[in-house]
Amino acid sequence: MTDANQLFGQALVKSLVGERGHIRIARALPDISAELAGRKHEHMPYSIYQLVKHMHYWQQFMLEHVEGRKPQLPTNVMESWPENPAPLDEATWQADIQAFLDGVDQAVTIAETAQLDDPLPYFPGETKAGLLRNIASHNSYHLGEIVLLRRFYGAWPPPGGGFPA
């Protein structure tokens, strides 16, 4: 692995986990209850639950490409958004959070170990680094919405603090 590959991989890891730009993604989610996750705010189109499920959908789609598989492209982007605004129950919600965070960990492992400029067989013109960067930016974008919703609901910061407070 080249020095440039390793240095870019380290930068990707920081982006994937949320270092410096915002609260670590793993600290911003686990304390959210199923009830809070399913709340709909009048000025926001999605609940926290729907945002996490959407993030997970596209994260897994891109990770499959990074691993050399060819995931099925949805016929419509709306397929990546669950219709129901709330999880079935607390256990299901906690499993959803864990599945999403496991995907972040998977992306981190790839960023730390893969040759990042490798092209992707089923995604012409794209590299592993490009899709990992896309995962980081997509997750970051929607994490900001989750933090905003938490603020609207008086559920910010999470235990242990969060910045900005």
Side-chain angles (χ1 to χ4, degrees):
M1 188 180 305
T2 66
D3 286 345
N5 187 87
Q6 189 171 16
L7 289 171
F8 189 65
Q10 291 169 0
L12 277 172
V13 167
K14 289 176 182 176
S15 294
L16 287 161
V17 299
E19 190 169 302
R20 296 191 182 149
H22 52 73
I23 188 170
R24 286 182 171 261
I25 203 161
R27 285 197 41 234
L29 299 176
D31 68 303
I32 299 171
S33 68
E35 182 274 325
L36 181 64
R39 282 179 70 181
K40 289 280 292 212
H41 190 276
E42 65 181 303
H43 297 295
M44 298 288 283
Y46 302 108
S47 67
I48 291 172
Y49 167 74
Q50 289 170 308
L51 286 161
V52 170
K53 293 293 281 186
H54 170 79
M55 292 160 69
H56 184 241
Y57 181 98
W58 287 111
Q59 179 174 267
Q60 289 310 114
F61 180 86
M62 289 183 267
L63 284 171
E64 285 187 40
H65 269 296
V66 168
E67 293 182 332
R69 296 191 305 273
K70 186 178 182 181
Q72 179 67 37
L73 190 63
T75 55
N76 184 311
V77 72
M78 290 309 293
E79 291 177 35
S80 68
W81 292 99
E83 285 186 40
N84 190 343
L88 295 174
D89 55 40
E90 191 66 42
T92 302
W93 169 236
Q94 291 305 316
D96 288 337
I97 292 171
Q98 191 58 55
F100 171 72
L101 294 175
D102 288 347
V104 172
D105 289 344
Q106 181 183 355
V108 164
T109 297
I110 294 167
E112 292 173 331
T113 61
Q115 184 59 41
L116 297 172
D117 60 355
D118 282 350
L120 302 176
Y122 301 108
F123 206 126
E126 190 58 87
T127 63
K128 290 180 180 182
L131 280 192
L132 291 173
R133 185 215 47 84
N134 196 324
I135 290 169
S137 64
H138 186 252
N139 286 349
S140 180
Y141 176 87
H142 289 303
L143 182 64
E145 293 178 309
I146 291 168
V147 169
L148 181 63
L149 284 167
R150 290 188 67 160
R151 286 172 178 260
F152 285 156
Y153 303 144
W156 190 258
F163 58 90

